[in-house]
Amino acid sequence: MKYKKWIEQMTLEEKASLMSGKDFWQTQDIERLGINSIFLADGPHGIRRQAVAADKLGLNEGMPATCYPTAATVANSWNAELGEKVGEYLGEEALAQRVNVLLGPGVNMKRNPLCGRNFEYFSEDPYLAGKMAAGYIRGIQSHGISACVKHFAANNQEEKRMTIDTIVDERTLRELYLTAFEICVEEGKTKSIMSSYNKLNGTYTNEHMHLMQDILRNEWGYTGTVITEWGGSNDRVQGLLAGNELEMPTTAGETDKEIVDAIKSGQLSEEVLDEAVDRLLDLIFSTEAAFQKPIGQFDVEKHHRVSQKVAEESIVLLKNDENILPLKFGKKVAVVGEFAQNARYQGAGSSIVNPTILDHTMDCFEESGIVSIGYEPGFERYGKKNQQKIDQACELAQKADVVLLYIGLDEATEADGLDRKNMKIPDNQIDLLEALYEVNTNIIAIISCGSAVEMPWIGKVKGLLHGYLGGQAGARAILRVLSGDVNPSGKLAESYPLRYEDTPSYKHFPGKEATVEYRESLYIGYRYYDTAEVDVLFPFGFGLSYTSFEYTDLKVDRKGVTFQLTNTGDRAGMEVAQLYVGCTSDNIFRPKKELKGFKKVFINAGESKHVRIPFDNKTFRYFNVKTNKWEIEEAYYTIMIGASSADIKLQQQWFAEGTNAPLPYEKEKLPSYYSGKVNDVSVEEFEQLIGRKIPEPTWDRTQPLGYNDTIAQCQYAKGWFGRVAYYSIIQTQRFLRKIGKRSTANIMDMSILNLPFRGIARMTGGIVNMPMLDGILLMVNGHFFKGLWQVTKEKAKLIKAKRKSKADLMKN
């Protein structure tokens, strides 16, 4: 152990105390040994260190910090070096705000377009997500502090996220849902990882020995700290056994006592606790060292300019009919859309950043060179119909050569804690578009949102620019692309289906009660669309430019591929060349092609560049469920170089020697998986894939409610108290939505309805303890007065204990 001398000086109680937080954002300190608290803060795309009342999770404004584009945006740059630059600037700001651990980046897969937190994740592809995230981690940790990769693992829906059981086969888990984390550990060298809320195949992730020990610690060699999601600890002792060191937030010593009692009873070895303390001390001491040198304030203007540069490189041009873009000099432009006046630039929930500066479109026109003849909002931001605003927008549009229409999703639609209801842009915005089209067909739509949307209206726009959520400088970045000052180079890091029903997980998202079944297995995103030959609106990796590129002269060798890339247009630009690999053998089911490398290249007009993309240990591998390890199938592989997953420019066959592993499947028993047509897999075939019976997907309504049941389940509680509480919450939500307080109603979904009962104790910082929670459960389950007496009695005990502790402290 690295810190054995410190650990030997600690009492058992002191060691246990380090295993949970001091408050909502700080770790526990041991003053007599010189062990300080360290501070953890949200920060996937900007530091959110709360300025006041830091015990109120997520409800207060953070100290001003640069709001960079979200991960979903930066992933469209396909530039890991750019990701590293973002990380460097995030790390610098974290240092300035005395933040030791930055809670990000998030690398969960975009299994389904409706996941409410997709704006915070990179991609539907684990290779791209992992490479981008590793760049962020290297940048953040270059300042000596720690990144904290999240959410480990298979957390791909927000609804019921604290209790849902993810049912997924082992191969899919390893190849899709863990690969990005693997890259973050092996290449990013992340110092900390956050375990997710959900169960994985029946066990909460932070207690999952296979996930936490077999894979993370033993196979990947991870020696850093694992931190729970806030309130994500179920059984504290089991979590510690699995290697989950730090529980956040504080439980006011309640779970510390559980650890002490488990050691005294022999349930837990003290050596396990010592190892956990050692790893946590390494995180504390190594990040504290970063604050030993003088730390100044960061350059606000410089960081704002960096945010703009990142946004510029991440904007995706999706349509450019008649070369309507870039805008020709002297064109009269009408600006329409609420998002032009008040930019939609970040997601909602735990990642909200209080920006240092905030650009708005209407304030940036003068420097852009674009001639605006006026602005009209055109629609109500949160979906309410308003014909007068449409009429006023059309009146302005009639006078213009071109209409810039700013549309997208509002802040209450994409948020931490809830999933989207559909893939549509609100009807009132589409009503506006259709009305504008009647008076002016030269429409350029600018979309602001953090995830894929349906576009049945796309025929009514000539230009389509997707800015995603571009951070505090995103509005200016978009204008620079519209004007032609910047040549767009972003490419989609996710597929855009024609309609939501085309997605492979459509019938199994989200899990509504006890479980969510990943019946589609390996086939998410382009892996499904390309294999099952399902048409999409925009394929993975797609993006237009103001110039053109030609690919020639592919050569393949044992170490990788080389080819020539030529800019055949009349202006400089950047192209993202993508390496895909597909196996020609059908002995093992696989997607038609999988991303195995990429490179972004800047090329001047008329210039050619020699490009090399290397192979690595992930190029030909697959996970064999019989040998329980990574194998290579001996076969011919198609090596493909493309401008997108659907636009393959060059290809060549290559023979790879195998590892002679036994075939993992009986082909005739898995027909859907061998065809790739997995949108309607039967129960029997899915059970054949996972090798066991699937668990019951619904809640057991016959049993009393317990610690891991949600407050939403009070709708069928045996006691009137539980049912009254549930329907009171529902009525309050309806009222809030009716008066336009959608964000507040959403918070009730996230922090009340979908909260498991144990979360009442885990998230209240000791105000409610487990004995009091037992009383609440008695009340909910039909024993109101008995439960009320227990709550009252235990509350009195808690108050008495706190007074005694305070008195003892004053004596000492």
Side-chain angles (χ1 to χ4, degrees):
M1 288 193 298
K2 199 171 179 180
Y3 301 98
K4 189 175 181 181
K5 287 184 179 179
W6 272 271
I7 295 168
E8 286 174 343
Q9 297 177 64
M10 295 181 199
T11 65
L12 175 58
E13 287 73 18
E14 284 175 330
K15 288 189 284 190
S17 75
L18 290 173
M19 297 292 94
S20 63
K22 180 179 182 177
D23 53 33
F24 259 100
W25 299 110
Q26 295 184 92
T27 63
Q28 187 59 261
D29 60 321
I30 302 177
E31 194 174 333
R32 72 177 186 88
L33 295 176
I35 298 170
N36 299 322
S37 298
I38 61 171
F39 199 93
L40 302 89
D42 287 310
H45 59 270
I47 317 302
R48 193 180 72 98
R49 177 163 183 158
Q50 291 185 28
V52 294
D55 58 332
K56 304 293 185 186
L57 180 62
L59 300 181
N60 297 304
E61 189 171 67
M63 294 165 63
T66 310
C67 181
Y68 294 94
T70 67
T73 313
V74 184
N76 293 332
S77 75
W78 292 66
N79 188 339
E81 289 76 22
L82 188 69
E84 189 162 343
K85 184 181 284 288
V86 174
E88 285 174 11
Y89 282 86
L90 284 170
E92 184 183 340
E93 294 191 32
L95 212 58
Q97 295 198 19
R98 301 200 69 83
V99 170
N100 301 70
V101 179
L102 201 53
L103 302 174
V107 297
N108 295 95
M109 289 299 94
K110 298 185 182 186
R111 173 184 177 241
N112 185 284
L114 300 188
C115 175
R117 216 164 179 175
N118 276 353
F119 67 86
E120 206 172 305
Y121 300 139
F122 289 101
S123 180
E124 67 188 32
D125 183 86
Y127 192 88
L128 176 57
K131 292 291 185 178
M132 293 298 299
Y136 270 64
I137 294 161
R138 287 191 295 269
I140 292 166
Q141 296 187 170
S142 68
H143 293 276
I145 64 164
S146 172
C148 183
V149 180
K150 58 188 186 182
H151 307 88
F152 190 62
N155 173 198
N156 306 105
Q157 70 175 64
E158 291 296 287
E159 187 171 336
K160 310 291 187 300
R161 66 183 180 180
M162 294 185 81
T163 55
I164 200 74
D165 187 3
T166 299
I167 310 302
V168 59
D169 68 282
E170 182 74 7
R171 182 180 168 203
T172 298
L173 176 68
R174 301 301 300 272
E175 292 188 20
L176 280 190
Y177 297 104
L178 296 187
T179 292
F181 289 101
E182 181 185 0
I183 294 170
C184 289
V185 169
E186 293 180 351
E187 298 181 24
K189 309 295 183 188
T190 186
K191 294 180 183 180
S192 62
I193 289 176
M194 184 186 291
S195 57
S196 57
Y197 283 126
N198 56 289
K199 293 179 183 177
L200 174 61
N201 293 324
T203 304
Y204 280 101
T205 58
N206 77 305
E207 302 167 12
H208 206 294
M209 295 298 288
H210 177 53
L211 184 67
M212 294 291 179
Q213 288 294 327
D214 298 344
I215 299 172
L216 178 62
R217 301 285 185 191
N218 298 334
E219 184 180 326
W220 298 350
Y222 180 65
T223 57
T225 303
V226 177
I227 303 167
T228 68
E229 173 65 282
W230 264 236
S233 175
N234 172 47
D235 184 313
R236 186 65 193 102
V237 174
Q238 289 302 314
L240 199 60
L241 279 166
N244 207 140
E245 287 81 17
L246 180 60
E247 175 189 23
M248 291 298 289
T250 182
T251 59
E254 187 170 25
T255 55
D256 304 344
K257 186 176 183 302
E258 290 175 12
I259 293 169
V260 170
D261 290 346
I263 288 172
K264 287 180 176 178
S265 70
Q267 181 189 354
L268 179 68
S269 165
E270 192 165 353
E271 284 73 25
V272 171
L273 176 60
D274 289 349
E275 287 174 8
V277 171
D278 191 64
R279 288 193 290 259
L280 181 62
L281 287 177
D282 195 45
L283 181 68
I284 292 170
F285 291 145
S286 68
T287 58
E288 277 287 282
F291 298 96
Q292 301 309 308
K293 57 181 184 290
I295 299 162
Q297 293 300 307
F298 65 91
D299 185 330
V300 170
E301 286 288 346
K302 181 182 178 183
H303 283 224
H304 183 70
R305 290 194 298 274
V306 169
S307 181
Q308 179 184 319
K309 169 69 173 67
V310 174
E312 288 170 1
E313 197 170 324
S314 305
I315 291 166
V316 188
L317 178 61
L318 293 174
K319 187 176 181 181
N320 196 18
D321 286 0
E322 301 173 19
N323 290 319
I324 195 169
L325 287 172
L327 288 167
K328 309 297 185 291
F329 180 76
K331 290 283 186 184
K332 294 184 295 182
V333 169
V335 183
V336 178
E338 162 68 19
F339 295 141
Q341 181 68 39
N342 298 298
R344 172 82 208 288
Y345 61 97
Q346 65 174 326
S350 65
S351 66
I352 288 180
V353 178
N354 180 17
T356 53
I357 301 169
L358 183 57
D359 290 340
H360 292 291
T361 301
M362 300 313 299
D363 302 328
C364 301
F365 263 103
E366 191 171 334
E367 68 190 64
S368 74
I370 299 171
V371 180
S372 167
I373 63 167
Y375 161 76
E376 287 292 342
F379 61 85
E380 301 276 359
R381 192 177 190 90
Y382 295 105
K384 188 178 178 182
K385 302 268 185 174
N386 188 323
Q387 188 59 45
Q388 184 181 2
K389 288 193 172 184
I390 291 177
D391 292 343
Q392 290 169 341
C394 288
E395 188 178 337
L396 178 66
Q398 285 178 310
K399 303 170 186 174
D401 297 318
V402 176
V403 178
L404 296 183
L405 176 61
Y406 284 76
I407 57 177
L409 300 177
D410 61 61
E411 294 82 353
T413 299
E414 295 181 288
D416 177 354
L418 70 152
D419 297 314
R420 289 197 287 156
K421 303 299 182 189
N422 56 55
M423 276 185 68
K424 301 177 189 302
I425 283 177
D427 289 343
N428 66 336
Q429 297 182 37
I430 306 310
D431 291 344
L432 169 64
L433 168 58
E434 290 174 347
L436 289 170
Y437 183 74
E438 294 300 316
V439 299
N440 191 332
T441 60
N442 291 322
I443 299 172
I444 299 166
I446 298 97
I447 304 177
S448 298
C449 60
S451 45
V453 292
E454 293 175 349
M455 303 182 193
W457 40 264
I458 195 169
K460 290 188 166 70
V461 301
K462 287 185 179 177
L464 181 61
L465 202 66
H466 202 331
Y468 269 68
L469 299 176
Q472 63 183 50
R476 180 178 270 107
I478 284 169
L479 285 174
R480 282 174 53 78
V481 171
L482 291 171
S483 68
D485 289 341
V486 169
N487 188 353
S489 62
K491 296 205 174 192
L492 293 175
E494 59 189 315
S495 307
Y496 274 54
L498 286 164
R499 56 191 194 120
Y500 176 59
E501 290 79 5
D502 291 339
T503 58
S505 55
Y506 164 66
K507 293 182 179 178
H508 299 281
F509 180 92
K512 285 291 185 182
E513 294 193 4
T515 70
V516 57
E517 297 167 8
Y518 286 28
R519 292 200 197 180
E520 72 282 355
S521 185
L522 297 172
Y523 300 98
I524 67 168
Y526 74 92
R527 285 169 164 79
Y528 168 69
Y529 301 120
D530 288 359
T531 308
E533 298 182 343
V534 175
D535 289 339
V536 295
L537 180 63
F538 297 113
F540 176 77
F542 176 83
L544 300 174
S545 169
Y546 294 152
T547 189
S548 54
F549 299 94
E550 182 181 39
Y551 293 71
T552 56
D553 197 22
L554 174 64
K555 290 183 174 63
V556 184
D557 59 42
R558 298 182 71 85
K559 293 184 177 179
V561 300
T562 58
F563 54 93
Q564 287 290 114
L565 190 57
T566 303
N567 183 338
T568 55
D570 58 4
R571 65 170 70 199
M574 287 186 279
E575 172 69 339
V576 178
Q578 302 156 42
L579 166 66
Y580 295 91
V581 175
C583 184
T584 61
S585 165
D586 62 357
N587 288 328
I588 303 165
F589 72 80
R590 303 169 186 259
K592 186 176 182 179
K593 63 174 78 76
E594 296 179 281
L595 183 74
K596 297 297 181 179
F598 58 91
K599 191 158 190 179
K600 191 163 194 176
V601 186
F602 175 83
I603 314 181
N604 286 312
E607 184 185 9
S608 293
K609 282 195 175 176
H610 187 73
V611 180
R612 182 164 184 84
I613 302 177
F615 294 155
D616 61 20
N617 64 352
K618 297 172 183 65
T619 304
F620 299 106
R621 75 177 191 177
Y622 76 96
F623 192 81
N624 188 302
V625 292
K626 274 192 177 175
T627 64
N628 196 37
K629 62 181 184 179
W630 295 102
E631 306 282 3
I632 295 174
E633 182 182 5
E634 187 166 293
Y636 279 96
Y637 291 80
T638 305
I639 309 300
M640 295 165 268
I641 301 297
S644 77
S645 68
D647 185 11
I648 301 303
K649 303 292 189 180
L650 305 168
Q651 64 181 55
Q652 191 174 314
Q653 299 287 298
W654 179 258
F655 183 79
E657 295 176 359
T659 51
N660 299 314
L663 293 177
Y665 306 113
E666 296 178 57
K667 186 175 180 179
E668 65 279 2
K669 293 182 179 179
L670 300 170
S672 300
Y673 297 108
Y674 275 86
S675 70
K677 296 177 179 177
V678 294
N679 58 328
D680 194 19
V681 176
S682 68
V683 170
E684 294 74 21
E685 190 175 353
F686 186 51
E687 288 180 340
Q688 183 68 38
L689 178 70
I690 64 175
R692 63 187 185 279
K693 288 285 184 185
I694 59 171
E696 180 58 47
T698 56
W699 294 320
D700 185 349
R701 288 163 169 76
T702 65
Q703 298 296 315
L705 296 178
Y707 294 146
N708 288 324
D709 292 314
T710 64
I711 293 169
Q713 290 171 254
C714 283
Q715 61 190 282
Y716 60 79
K718 295 185 186 300
W720 61 267
F721 174 75
R723 295 194 299 274
V724 168
Y726 169 76
Y727 286 108
S728 298
I729 294 166
I730 293 298
Q731 289 303 322
T732 304
Q733 277 188 308
R734 286 175 182 165
F735 174 73
L736 288 168
R737 288 194 175 103
K738 191 172 183 181
I739 63 171
K741 302 283 186 181
R742 286 174 59 203
S743 293
T744 308
N746 288 344
I747 288 170
M748 292 181 74
D749 250 335
M750 174 178 67
S751 59
I752 301 177
L753 275 180
N754 288 321
L755 188 73
F757 279 96
R758 64 175 159 79
I760 298 172
R762 296 288 191 250
M763 295 287 277
T764 53
I767 294 170
V768 177
N769 63 15
M770 293 303 281
M772 290 169 66
L773 181 59
D774 290 335
I776 292 169
L777 284 167
L778 281 170
M779 294 165 71
V780 165
N781 286 318
H783 305 284
F784 180 77
F785 292 108
K786 185 178 179 182
L788 183 61
W789 168 246
Q790 176 149 333
V791 171
T792 307
K793 180 181 66 173
E794 294 298 337
K795 184 66 177 175
K797 279 186 190 176
L798 197 62
I799 292 168
K800 188 177 178 181
K802 283 182 180 176
R803 282 176 182 162
K804 184 177 183 302
S805 177
K806 192 175 181 181
D808 291 345
L809 210 66
M810 289 176 73
K811 281 179 190 175
N812 296 330

